[in-house]
Amino acid sequence: MANHQRRALLEEVVPMLLYAPACRREEFVSAIGYLIRRMDENTGEENFLRHAFRLEVGSEDWELLERGFRESFALHPAEEPRRRQDRASEAFAEPRPEMPWHQLENEPDTDWSLPQNGRWAESLVVPGETVTLPLVIDGEIVERPILREHRDPSRPGVVVARSVEGTVEDVERAVHCAALDPDGWRSLSVDQRNEILGRVAMELRRARGTLMRSALACGGKTLQESDPEVSEAIDFVEFYRSSARAFIEWDTVRAEPRGVVAVIPPWNFPIAIPCGGIAAALAAGNTVILKPASDTVPVAWELCQCFWRAGVPKRALQFLPCPGSTAGAALAAHANVDAVVLTGGTETARRMLEAKPAMRLFAETGGKNATIISGLSDRELAIKHVLHSAFSHAGQKCSATSLLLLEREIYEDEGFQRMLRDAVESLRVGRAWELATRVGPLIRPPAGELETALKTLEPGESWLVMPRPLEGNPHLWSPGVKWGVTRGSVTHLTEFFGPVLGVMVYDTLEEAIDLVNETGYGLTSAIHSLDERELAIWRDSMEAGNLYINRGTTGAIVLRQPFGGMGKSSLGPGMKAGGPNYVAQFMRFTDDEAGPGQWNGIEVHEPLIAALLEALPEDSLRLRRAARSYQQAWDLEFSRAHDHFSLLGQDNVRRYLPSVEVRIRIHPRDRDFEILARVIAARMTGARVIVSSPPKLEREIIVWLDQNTEAWAGAIEFAVESDAALARTLRLGDRVRYAAPDRVPERIHRAAAEVAATIVDEPVLSEGRIELLWYLREQSISWDYHRYGNLGGRARGELQGPD
């Protein structure tokens, strides 16, 4: 391509290496892709070859290239590598200064390409001695002779730890201590708490290797899977201490901690998820009781050590491993536990709510996550992402791709089938202690639905790749791919927590979207397509909390992609972990009437609300102030898409969607302000608003609203219904807004739990930045829009990111 230049260089320098790509005839399609990329590079604006055939000294092209050469030379390329990370010799002397939450700098993962980090990894995969772990209750170490054994899923029968299991009596003692808060964690200033949490982040950095090794030993996580977890845990601590400050120092409300928070995390993310729940609750001023997953108690122990070493009192963070069916259930349902953070199965969450219907539960539950591959996609890249999403950590992620939907032309393409099959079969299955392992062990031998999925086929299904157990370890299974999954089948609708991928065919994108939404889950979802029209349709129709475009469905990063689901994948208000609103769930807010003056200059320009205010039967200063605050919050925060990183080549947008339907439930004790403010707030978000009143309730403000619906074009609907009728009407995704907790009947809580509807009973506030949260759903969109580094139309300003 540049023969004259080659000969000229040979006259001046030592011999150079020439290379030419070669391929077999059947691989020619790949060769064309390679050629196109080379041509794309060589025709770039500043590429020498673009100008070489007409280059003359002193011409514009000459000056452009000369200027580029001199500018690059002036940068003084480093004589030593810039990437010097060395996990074995890192020094962490002092905590880092607190960052404003919107300027978070994410903790870097380990750079495995560096040889020193490879040697560090080798030092971690050396089994250690069996340890014994106590309880920590009321600041005291509790040891008993009866212990639970924790076994290594990579080495059948090997016990890596033994731990004391808590009893119902231990729960009573722990909750009593947490409620009293004898060390005064709740009374500390935000500066004092945040200083301690800054030290926690530093302790986590120091303990990276210890945490990873523990997750490997008892959770079967490879180092490549646990390393990002430690980074995420550090990000959670740094981020939540800053975002909590933002709410605590808000000048129009008073924020107080809820009290006692129980954190009940899963075994599959034993570092990041418990750390996030603990950090958010502590940052908001609560005391915390950690009930770790029974399989990964040793990881939780190491995690708590980081908090305690940093200065969090052992009576502000208590360590209470216990059986979930007895003491764990008692903890979640305890009358003096003010909030429960759960990451686990949907049925687990519903059992908790059955025991205590009014439980303030913040739950991220299961997922039946799908990736759609369009005929207009980069098929090789899609397979790469599907493999990582479906089979990393042996498919044991709530965000793992479980369904693969292929457009018919791809589904019937034998070359694609062969490529997918070969890629899956190439994955190395083995012990987590082996650094080359890509698919590690299951936490326990498969049983129930997972065992059935690994061993049987439904009508119409066949194995593209048949899963097989590895001899000598019942925890080890090779990945399986089911071809020909049919609509409504078990494989289509059931969450399998293991290495099973179901493949379905679709003819239209709308059909594919329906197939995904029919699962009822809504955690993560992905599409691979290079067609902007398809992406727009998919983005506006997919019911999931985290959307990924030309990416995998796993690996969310704090603030970059706040994480949380919709539908059956979330119970509670649904504020996303790693997002700026998450800590608000752990606080109680009341209006500060001394500080609403800042809203005086705000104009309410939402026409229907302006009409409502204009028609008010009597002047209400507080309501008008609230409406102005709602308008300001809508304009500045909730109506906009936010990308806090603006990465070149990747959009990371967080945005708000209106709830499908909001019922404003009226209670006889509701004040007029509480009624009208809820109506205005719900209408501001664009939700369908239904004012729901019990029979025979006579309130002048309700009559006035009903009689004046023409003034706001019927945007508010009215229903007279008993509690029993309201319970029957609740559906998946509905929200019911009450004005206070003591006005919600138990039967409504029970009905909402059965269909994953959301009951909101927080005090009605004038501050829109908080009040509007209860009527909205959060969604994250991450879009890799570059193609092998080429920004395409985005570089020319022709295309825009998601709004």
Side-chain angles (χ1 to χ4, degrees):
M1 297 183 76
N3 202 35
H4 299 301
Q5 287 74 28
R6 179 186 64 83
R7 291 202 305 270
L9 285 170
L10 278 173
E11 295 175 2
E12 300 293 333
V13 298
V14 296
M16 67 182 68
L17 178 67
L18 298 178
Y19 73 96
C23 70
R24 293 173 296 194
R25 182 184 299 274
E26 58 268 26
E27 297 168 343
F28 192 66
V29 171
S30 299
I32 291 296
Y34 177 86
L35 177 62
I36 293 298
R37 290 196 292 276
R38 297 289 76 75
M39 293 180 65
D40 183 61
E41 292 174 0
N42 294 341
T43 56
E45 181 75 24
E46 296 183 355
N47 192 288
F48 174 76
L49 290 177
R50 173 171 178 159
H51 308 276
F53 300 102
R54 61 177 185 276
L55 193 60
E56 295 182 4
V57 176
S59 66
E60 289 186 7
D61 290 348
W62 178 277
E63 291 178 355
L64 173 68
L65 295 173
E66 179 184 3
R67 183 166 59 251
F69 175 81
R70 293 184 182 278
E71 289 175 353
S72 63
F73 188 80
L75 295 175
H76 301 295
E79 297 180 0
E80 298 178 357
R82 296 180 185 272
R83 296 158 68 182
R84 302 181 181 180
Q85 184 190 68
D86 186 350
R87 290 301 194 201
S89 62
E90 285 178 312
F92 304 104
E94 295 293 335
R96 298 179 185 176
E98 183 179 331
M99 294 174 277
W101 68 262
H102 55 279
Q103 296 176 1
L104 176 72
E105 296 178 9
N106 294 110
E107 191 73 12
D109 295 339
T110 298
D111 187 343
W112 297 114
S113 67
L114 300 177
Q116 61 267 28
N117 287 340
R119 292 190 293 271
W120 174 72
E122 292 172 353
S123 73
L124 297 180
V125 291
V126 179
E129 298 180 355
T130 302
V131 297
T132 301
L133 309 174
L135 307 177
V136 178
I137 301 176
D138 196 10
E140 296 181 3
I141 301 295
V142 178
E143 297 176 326
R144 297 193 185 110
I146 301 176
L147 302 170
R148 177 191 177 97
E149 292 185 339
H150 303 278
R151 300 178 185 273
D152 184 348
S154 292
R155 300 176 293 158
V158 174
V159 176
V160 296
R162 296 180 177 89
S163 65
V164 177
E165 287 203 302
T167 64
V168 173
E169 291 74 19
D170 294 322
V171 168
E172 287 293 336
R173 183 182 173 197
V175 173
H176 180 73
C177 170
L180 289 177
D181 186 20
D183 292 317
W185 180 260
R186 287 195 284 270
S187 62
L188 293 180
S189 69
V190 64
D191 288 335
Q192 291 171 316
R193 285 197 296 264
N194 282 14
E195 181 182 354
I196 294 172
L197 290 173
R199 295 200 295 269
V200 171
M202 192 57 65
E203 291 294 335
L204 290 168
R205 294 183 179 98
R206 293 192 180 106
R208 180 181 289 268
T210 301
L211 291 165
M212 291 168 61
R213 182 173 176 174
S214 184
L216 186 157
C218 64
K221 297 206 82 164
T222 65
L223 299 185
Q224 291 87 344
E225 287 292 325
S226 60
D227 180 70
E229 264 206 78
V230 180
S231 300
E232 185 178 20
I234 296 166
D235 286 345
F236 276 142
V237 176
E238 296 281 18
F239 181 72
Y240 288 148
R241 67 170 176 151
S242 177
S243 55
R245 178 187 295 278
F247 284 107
I248 293 169
E249 295 183 346
W250 209 272
D251 59 4
T252 58
V253 293
R254 291 185 296 273
E256 297 178 350
R258 289 199 178 276
V260 179
V261 176
V263 176
I264 306 176
W267 56 263
N268 60 329
F269 282 91
I271 303 169
I273 290 180
C275 185
I278 294 168
L282 289 176
N286 301 277
T287 51
V288 176
I289 302 171
L290 174 64
K291 181 242 167 283
S294 296
D295 291 303
T296 51
V297 170
V299 189
W301 172 258
E302 297 295 344
L303 184 64
C304 285
Q305 295 285 345
C306 294
F307 281 86
W308 294 329
R309 285 196 300 265
V312 175
K314 288 185 172 67
R315 292 187 290 191
L317 169 59
Q318 299 179 79
F319 181 69
L320 184 55
C322 56
S325 60
T326 54
L331 173 64
H334 199 287
N336 291 330
V337 170
D338 300 285
V340 176
V341 184
L342 170 73
T343 304
T346 303
E347 291 307 313
T348 301
R350 288 179 174 172
R351 285 196 300 270
M352 287 182 173
L353 291 171
E354 184 178 348
K356 184 182 177 182
M359 178 186 298
R360 201 166 296 279
L361 178 64
F362 311 134
E364 181 225 297
T365 51
K368 186 67 177 177
N369 313 294
T371 294
I372 296 171
I373 302 181
S374 157
L376 300 170
S377 64
D378 182 330
R379 302 178 187 191
E380 292 88 348
L381 183 65
I383 288 176
K384 174 186 175 182
H385 288 153
V386 167
L387 255 64
H388 180 70
S389 299
F391 303 124
S392 292
H393 196 25
Q396 300 172 114
K397 295 183 178 182
C398 54
S399 56
T401 291
S402 181
L403 283 177
L404 178 60
L405 287 87
L406 305 179
E407 192 168 1
R408 187 168 295 278
E409 70 171 84
I410 302 180
Y411 184 85
E412 296 176 349
D413 182 351
E414 293 182 0
F416 182 88
Q417 293 181 33
R418 183 174 61 253
M419 187 162 44
L420 176 60
R421 180 175 57 249
D422 291 348
V424 173
E425 291 177 342
S426 73
L427 295 173
R428 178 164 176 169
V429 183
R431 302 189 311 163
W433 296 96
E434 299 166 0
L435 294 178
T437 293
R438 288 288 305 278
V439 180
L442 296 167
I443 191 68
R444 60 184 63 87
E449 293 172 336
L450 176 58
E451 183 180 21
T452 301
L454 286 167
K455 295 181 177 180
T456 63
L457 294 170
E458 295 181 77
E461 295 179 350
S462 61
W463 289 114
L464 180 70
V465 180
M466 180 181 289
R468 301 181 187 279
L470 270 66
E471 187 176 350
N473 187 346
H475 296 258
L476 290 175
W477 278 75
S478 66
V481 180
K482 288 187 172 185
W483 200 264
V485 173
T486 58
R487 191 173 206 155
S489 65
V490 173
T491 306
H492 175 207
L493 301 177
T494 306
E495 180 186 22
F496 301 134
F497 227 55
V500 183
L501 177 66
V503 181
M504 306 180 76
V505 62
Y506 72 90
D507 291 298
T508 67
L509 181 59
E510 289 77 8
E511 178 190 2
I513 292 169
D514 287 343
L515 287 170
V516 177
N517 287 339
E518 282 172 11
T519 68
Y521 293 97
L523 193 55
T524 69
S525 200
I527 186 171
H528 274 263
S529 174
L530 304 179
D531 189 314
E532 295 282 333
R533 297 164 299 177
E534 289 188 331
L535 299 182
I537 293 170
W538 177 85
R539 193 171 60 237
D540 293 339
S541 305
M542 188 55 59
E543 288 291 318
N546 282 65
L547 303 183
Y548 297 99
I549 300 174
N550 295 324
R551 299 194 57 201
T553 59
T554 61
I557 298 174
V558 174
L559 185 59
R560 194 178 299 182
Q561 299 113 17
F563 190 78
M566 299 177 182
K568 292 193 297 184
S569 296
S570 175
L571 276 80
M575 297 173 191
K576 294 167 79 69
N581 304 311
Y582 187 73
V583 292
Q585 302 173 114
F586 301 96
M587 301 178 186
R588 292 189 177 98
F589 296 97
T590 53
D591 278 330
D592 186 348
E593 294 298 329
Q598 65 187 57
W599 303 325
N600 290 339
I602 305 298
E603 179 182 352
V604 178
H605 53 77
E606 206 288 338
L608 297 177
I609 297 176
L612 187 153
L613 293 172
E614 186 67 26
L616 278 175
E618 59 183 48
D619 187 57
S620 172
L621 178 60
R622 187 184 179 194
L623 185 64
R624 294 183 186 277
R625 284 176 170 173
R628 289 194 287 267
S629 174
Y630 299 168
Q631 185 71 69
Q632 181 185 56
W634 177 254
D635 292 343
L636 297 181
E637 174 67 19
F638 298 114
S639 65
R640 299 182 177 186
H642 304 269
D643 187 341
H644 300 283
F645 292 86
S646 300
L647 300 177
L648 191 63
Q650 184 185 87
D651 290 325
N652 289 290
V653 168
R654 64 175 185 88
R655 66 177 183 174
Y656 301 89
L657 304 177
S659 295
V660 176
E661 177 179 294
V662 176
R663 263 179 156 73
I664 308 301
R665 183 61 172 171
I666 308 302
H667 188 275
R669 297 203 304 273
D670 289 352
R671 294 171 295 163
D672 286 358
F673 170 80
E674 293 173 324
I675 296 171
L676 293 177
R678 283 180 288 164
V679 170
I680 292 173
R683 179 60 215 171
M684 182 70 73
T685 66
R688 179 189 178 198
V689 183
I690 301 174
V691 178
S692 170
S693 303
K696 300 181 181 179
L697 176 67
E698 296 182 3
R699 289 292 297 272
E700 291 183 7
I701 196 67
I702 304 295
V703 174
W704 175 80
L705 274 172
D706 196 3
Q707 291 176 345
N708 286 273
T709 52
E710 292 185 4
W712 37 88
I716 306 170
E717 303 173 40
F718 295 84
V720 176
E721 51 195 353
S722 65
D723 288 336
L726 173 59
R728 290 194 298 270
T729 63
L730 291 179
R731 300 164 298 173
L732 178 69
D734 284 354
R735 292 204 175 197
V736 183
R737 180 70 169 102
Y738 283 82
D742 60 357
R743 302 171 199 178
V744 187
E746 180 176 311
R747 74 188 318 171
I748 299 298
H749 279 300
R750 291 190 183 278
E754 291 174 3
V755 297
T758 300
I759 302 298
V760 178
D761 57 8
E762 302 292 335
V764 183
L765 299 179
S766 300
E767 173 52 67
R769 180 61 182 83
I770 299 169
E771 179 62 30
L772 264 61
L773 285 173
W774 310 119
Y775 308 86
L776 292 160
R777 300 173 297 161
E778 298 184 42
Q779 190 178 62
S780 299
I781 304 174
S782 187
W783 181 2
D784 282 359
Y785 61 82
H786 71 88
R787 307 303 305 147
Y788 304 101
N790 189 322
L791 302 181
R794 192 73 69 90
R796 299 188 295 272
E798 299 170 2
L799 304 175
Q800 300 296 323
D803 53 22

